[in-house]
Amino acid sequence: MSIGHGRLITAAWTAGIAVTTLVAINQAAAQAAVSTQASYRADLTLNGKATDAAERIMQADSRAITGKKVSTGDTVDGTLAGMKIVSTGLEVSVAGTPSAALRQAIATSAGGVPVRIRTVAHSERQLEQVGDTLTKQLPSLRKQNIQPVEWGPDYDSNKVLVKLRHYTPAAAAALTAKYGSDMVTVSTTSVQASASSSRTNDTSPWHGALKIINKTNNGSCTTGFNVVNANGVRYLVTASHCGSKGDSFKNSNGKTVGKITYWNKSIDSALIRANGNNSVWADPNKSTRLVRTSATSDVLGQIVVTDGATDREVMAVEVTAVNQTVSYSGYTVKHLVRGAQTSGVHAFSAGDSGGPVYQIQSSGKLKAFGEVVARRTDNASIGWYLPERYILSMWNLSPMVSV
């Protein structure tokens, strides 16, 4: 973990916040903590606690500002610049002085997980605005042979990090001149992304993480978590690039699963009208797992599991970026989360699109985090998933869960 360009503040403003909850540390201590990062991240119990703490803080902060729960988990606090799981627990970055709502949220919602504060120049909302401007200007940039593949807030540098299909110094200079070198940085590594489009014997009610085959084009994908609308109608979620509205799907044994009835390219998500259940296939580690709840936020450093028809259940995928915009296979999708399998094992292969992303809780049941949509073309251990909350919000759905 890099401290980037931020600075860690003292506890001058922390009166009234329990020191067991908020820990302010100096730069030297932060650097010394790096050596323990790998062992901390390997402890999934601690990682899960930090993930839950981040989720509670985000929700408490949002409720204090808006008066209600924010269904998609978008940042509403103008001082918040992101969160990251670190060796000591949770690090929260703020632009300037943290708001009263954020201070109170940390004090009441961290649940014993140590929290340290880092101050930076730009809030996440400011960086998102730059990213949104870039998205709108994408056609113009492509005419100049500048081809962004992924862009969004980079926690460590506190800038918008842009990754290009073909990096050149000229393209990097043009972007930093256009958006400001204090707001944008360009990776020197060229990156290409493609849809993760490419287990088998299942019957209704269908599980999540089911291999499905498009009857029209014979393309293979995976179902995500099963969902239900307010009228009790059930759907299987998959990626919209796996088919078009009206396309019918079968399983590997030729049994009809259902047709796409809702399709949305902007979030690369589609709903298949079919009778699903509240569990997912989880081989090779376990036969199936029950779904317990759905996450309302994602935090850097959290460890998740991907579960696709090709790679099957893959552990130890670390979240390395949140709220990213990614361009792939004719799609440009916002709000994506980037993950990287920590040992380089494939976790986002062709055919895994639509597959569920989750954490396994102490009960053995799952917290749903999202659905796989894309992968690094040259490295299938790295890919992106769409947070589940955007799917639920788009169509006013609820996850099918086991209480």
Side-chain angles (χ1 to χ4, degrees), residues 247-264:
D247 281 1
S248 182
F249 291 83
K250 61 183 179 180
N251 72 355
S252 297
N253 289 340
K255 296 177 182 177
T256 297
V257 176
K259 292 183 179 181
I260 292 180
T261 55
Y262 294 96
W263 185 93
N264 190 291

Side-chain angles (χ1 to χ4, degrees), residues 318-348:
E318 181 182 354
V319 168
T320 57
V322 298
N323 200 21
Q324 300 294 290
T325 303
V326 184
S327 181
Y328 58 93
S329 305
Y331 283 71
T332 299
V333 185
K334 296 174 59 178
H335 307 304
L336 297 187
V337 177
R338 187 199 322 131
Q341 207 284 332
T342 56
S343 298
V345 175
H346 287 188
F348 299 89

Side-chain angles (χ1 to χ4, degrees), residues 19-37:
V19 293
T20 55
T21 302
L22 178 62
V23 179
I25 64 175
N26 60 32
Q27 187 77 22
Q31 295 296 343
V34 172
S35 62
T36 63
Q37 183 75 348

Side-chain angles (χ1 to χ4, degrees), residues 268-282:
D268 196 357
S269 181
L271 302 182
I272 300 171
R273 176 76 179 267
N275 184 31
N277 63 29
N278 59 1
S279 64
V280 301
W281 292 111

